[in-house]
Every structure is written in C-alpha cells, then in structure tokens.
Amino acid sequence: MKLKVAVLFGGKSTEHEISIISAIQAIGSMNKDKYDIIPVYMTKNNDFYVGESIGNIEEYTHISDLLKKSTQVIWVKEKDKVSLVRYPMKKFGNSVITTVDVAFPIVHGTNVEDGNLQGYLATMGLPVVGCDVLSSAVGMNKYVMKTVLKDNNIPVLDCKCYTWVDYEDVDALIAKIEAAFKYPVIIKPINLGSSIGIKKASDREGLVEALELGFEFSKKILVEPAIENLKEINCSVLGDYEEAEASECEEPINSDEILSFEDKYIGGAKGSAKGAKSSGSEGMASLKRKIPADISDEMRDKIRTMAVEAFKCLGCSGVSRIDFMIDMDNNNVYLNEINTIPGSLAFYLWEPLGMKYEHLLDNMIDLALKADRENHKVVYSFETNVLEGVKLGGGSKGSKM
C-alpha cells in the first residue's frame, strides 16, 4: 500500500511564492510508485486547499481562479487517523477527502518554517518531514541560533539585537550601534530568509536606510559587522541527531554586495517555472553558482565538518542548508545562518555526490518515520488520581483549593 504524503506549501510568509516553486519541484521528483502524493496549498491567510490543479505551477498565475475550482479543507484527527476534510462540511454524505500518513512541509519563512506549522501538525500526531518545532524555531531566529552555536564553539560573528522599542528613538539606537561596531555593518530582520530586508550600511546615512528597511519586515533586527573581502560558501546536511552527512559545497555568485532575492530566485529563472513541474530544475537551482566551490580541499573539509556539527547541535532533521562566510583577509570561517527548509531542498548540492533528488526525498521521509517511531516510545502521560477530590475556588459552590 502506498504511503499517503501531504506536501504543504505557501503560507503567510514573504517567501510564499518561493515555497510554491520548491514544493512543486519536489512533487515532480517524488516516487509515484511509493507515495500517494497530496499537494496541499496554504493561502496567505493560512487556509488549506486541495484539488486536481493545486500541483500545477501554471495555475498560480491566477490564484483566485485556482481556489474557485479547488476545495478548502481542514485537518481532523479521529482516533489514530488524520484526515483532510472538506470545509464547510457537506450536510449529507462523506466530507473526508483523504487520510494522511505523513506531512511534508516545504515552506519558507515566518509563520510556517519557524515551527508554527510543525507544532500544529505535531499536535495531531502526524509524522512530519524535517525539523521539529524547537529546531525550526531556533533556526529561524538568527539571534537565538547564534547564541546556541557560540555556546558550542561554532564560530559566528558578534551581533546585537534591537527591537521596535529601540527604534522609537532612532538617534539613541544609532549611537548604540556605532558604539558596538565599526562601519560597515549588516542590518537584517531576525527571522526572515531569501535575503529579504537585508542591507549593508557603510556610514550613518546608510544605517538609517538599513534600519528602516529591516524594521519594515520584522519587529526585531540583527546588527553585525560586515566582512568586506567576503567569500560565501553553502553546504547542505542530511540526517538527524544520530547520523548526518554533508553535501558538496557551493559558491553563490551575487550581482551586488549581498546575495539578493533577485539573485536567488529571479535572475536567470524568468519563464522557467513551467518546467519546474516535471524537471525540478529551477528555483534556487537556477542561481548562478560554482559547484564545487572554489576552495581548497582543507577548507572544504572544514566547512563540511562544521556544517554537520551545527546541524546536530541545533537538533535538526531532514535536509538543511547551512551558509558560511570566509573572511578572505585572514581565512577565518563563520557560520552565517541555517535554512531548515532550504529553497529547492538544496537537491542540487547532493546530485554532484551521486544522490538523485528522488532518493533525497526518500531519505527525508524515512527520517520522519524514524522520528515518529521514536516518539511513540516516549511516555507522555501516566495514570494518577491527583484530580480526585479536587475543589477549586473562584465561584463554584463549595469549592476549595
């Protein structure tokens, strides 16, 4: 019997559209003989939809029309089964669209990748592909991530975190930043990906602009020193807390000081989404890059080892992409950030090592099933009579506490 895998994508995120591309790529590469694949689109209001056209990338040029011919659903757990149920339910007849065995979130950004969606699915007892709630949340919050990594002797750049409250007095905030760092500095939203809201500031005027941009996308921003002679290297990791392995390294080629959203998703990719349905060849895979990266064997080994250490340290599972920075003036390496659900699931970093996208997806699903088996071995409740005879105060007749 085939495993019923619900692939979730979209959601209330600035990376909504990128998620659609990543997910439909993956769906096109999944083994149809092993899995009954259920594409589940999440709107920007986090409503769930299924239907014959949901897995077709061409339909997303007119999403309102797509939703009219699709079915809104809700998740319902009954005993040990989780189902997608038509909403509103039929007055007569069966409203169950399908049962689900495994949830496979291929989502990017806040409200979905950051543990919110994983927590929702976990409450129903569904096996979930990828990182759990904690590792997803820590991976999304760049400040928390850095503190955890730094405490485990994984090199990261020093940083400061500031909030909307700090931004109410811009002059005071600028004074704090200038006291902490020399120019240039990087300003980035604390919980976004795809280079959204990130800006380099080389002077006070640039800092004002960078702060305005950063706070437009997040209530908290991170400030860190900018490496001027920078080489960026990315590496993916597949596995879990027990065993993990690193992919080939890549060197992204950016058109500006910072690898931008356009560099990642638009440059060279226009008009190519149609092919993504079947070939799985676009999205992040269309980014200009050197694979393998132009680094020494010693540096490659160092980065791959550090990537696995960080992955395990953060408690990750499935596939993540970890981005590094090399200061070419002194050859120091710093971990920049982790993407717990990377664009295109970083399949293009595994192909050079002989792992096809189909097998990468198989491994991710197998890891989710393994985690689910382990979760069933843990005791989460026990029989007790602590509630027997309890009387509460606050209005109930004769109640005591």
Side-chain angles (χ1 to χ4, degrees):
M1 183 177 291
K2 293 183 183 180
L3 199 68
K4 293 187 177 182
V5 180
V7 179
L8 295 90
F9 55 94
K12 187 179 179 181
S13 167
T14 53
E15 299 172 76
H16 179 98
E17 288 76 14
I18 308 310
S19 169
I20 296 171
I21 296 172
S22 291
I24 293 179
Q25 282 180 322
I27 290 168
S29 295
M30 284 183 174
N31 187 332
K32 308 302 187 297
D33 293 328
K34 293 176 67 173
Y35 311 118
D36 182 3
I37 303 161
I38 308 136
V40 182
Y41 171 62
M42 300 171 61
T43 70
K44 292 186 177 181
N45 290 322
N46 283 341
D47 296 324
F48 299 92
Y49 281 84
V50 298
E52 291 184 4
S53 300
I54 290 295
N56 185 351
I57 191 67
E58 297 174 5
E59 297 286 346
Y60 287 88
T61 54
H62 301 286
I63 292 178
S64 59
D65 293 337
L66 171 62
L67 297 185
K68 288 176 184 177
K69 57 184 177 182
S70 303
T71 303
Q72 186 174 353
V73 293
I74 56 175
W75 298 80
V76 175
K77 180 178 182 181
E78 185 175 3
K79 296 182 179 179
D80 293 331
K81 288 186 178 181
V82 177
S83 301
L84 288 170
V85 177
R86 181 188 305 272
Y87 180 82
M89 295 182 185
K90 294 179 178 179
K91 291 184 178 179
F92 304 100
N94 188 10
S95 292
V96 175
I97 302 294
T98 183
T99 56
V100 175
D101 298 316
V102 180
F104 198 146
I106 306 181
V107 291
H108 309 310
T110 50
N111 302 305
V112 279
E113 186 183 354
D114 54 8
N116 282 331
L117 180 59
Q118 290 81 352
Y120 173 67
L121 296 170
T123 58
M124 290 179 288
L126 263 179
V128 179
V129 176
C131 290
D132 62 10
V133 176
L134 180 59
S135 54
S136 297
V138 172
M140 181 62 67
N141 188 303
K142 295 178 174 64
Y143 182 73
V144 175
M145 177 205 70
K146 284 194 171 196
T147 58
V148 173
L149 294 177
K150 193 171 185 179
D151 195 49
N152 285 272
N153 301 313
I154 295 173
V156 294
L157 289 174
D158 289 336
C159 66
K160 295 288 184 182
C161 178
Y162 301 101
T163 71
W164 274 351
V165 175
D166 298 303
Y167 192 50
E168 289 176 0
D169 189 339
V170 179
D171 293 334
L173 175 55
I174 289 173
K176 288 179 183 178
I177 294 172
E178 290 180 334
F181 301 105
K182 295 180 180 179
Y183 289 108
V185 295
I186 298 289
I187 308 297
K188 58 178 71 172
I190 201 169
N191 58 351
L192 292 185
S194 296
S195 301
I196 294 171
I198 298 179
K199 192 171 181 65
K200 181 178 177 180
S202 300
D203 50 33
R204 182 172 291 189
E205 182 179 354
L207 180 58
V208 171
E209 295 175 358
L211 288 170
E212 182 178 1
L213 177 65
F215 280 118
E216 181 180 344
F217 290 100
S218 179
K219 296 185 290 185
K220 293 183 179 180
I221 55 100
L222 204 67
V223 183
E224 60 187 28
I227 298 175
E228 298 199 69
N229 191 5
L230 171 68
K231 182 190 283 280
E232 295 179 79
I233 303 294
N234 301 337
C235 180
S236 178
V237 178
L238 167 68
D240 60 10
Y241 70 96
E242 213 168 17
E243 285 186 50
E245 59 181 312
S247 72
E248 186 55 85
C249 294
E250 67 164 334
E251 180 181 349
I253 300 172
N254 51 316
S255 60
D256 203 349
E257 294 176 312
I258 298 171
L259 191 67
S260 68
F261 181 93
E262 285 74 16
D263 287 320
K264 289 183 176 180
Y265 300 114
I266 299 175
K270 289 181 179 179
S272 61
K274 182 177 180 179
K277 182 183 177 185
S278 57
S279 67
S281 61
E282 303 300 335
M284 274 293 288
S286 69
L287 171 65
K288 295 179 182 178
R289 55 167 56 85
K290 295 179 184 177
I291 302 178
D294 185 15
I295 51 178
S296 67
D297 291 342
E298 180 183 5
M299 180 62 75
R300 176 181 181 270
D301 291 342
K302 182 176 182 178
I303 286 175
R304 294 176 81 234
T305 298
M306 195 185 301
V308 170
E309 289 175 353
F311 182 91
K312 288 186 172 182
C313 170
L314 297 173
C316 297
S317 182
V319 162
S320 294
R321 193 190 75 240
I322 304 177
D323 302 347
F324 294 88
M325 300 180 292
I326 303 175
D327 188 336
M328 299 302 291
D329 290 336
N330 52 31
N331 229 30
N332 287 340
V333 181
Y334 303 94
L335 193 152
N336 184 32
E337 65 181 26
I338 183 169
N339 298 271
T340 55
I341 306 179
S344 300
L345 297 180
F347 77 87
Y348 49 88
L349 293 177
W350 293 96
E351 288 182 336
L353 299 184
M355 186 182 295
K356 294 181 179 179
Y357 196 11
E358 176 185 324
H359 297 146
L360 179 68
L361 295 164
D362 284 343
N363 283 327
M364 294 180 70
I365 292 170
D366 287 344
L367 286 164
L369 296 175
K370 174 193 171 187
D372 185 61
R373 289 192 299 270
E374 292 177 345
N375 286 336
H376 279 91
K377 295 178 182 179
V378 178
V379 176
Y380 292 101
S381 64
F382 59 93
E383 295 300 323
T384 174
N385 64 350
V386 70
L387 297 177
E388 186 177 338
V390 170
K391 297 180 179 180
L392 300 177
S396 298
K397 184 177 180 181
S399 60
K400 294 181 180 178
M401 188 68 181

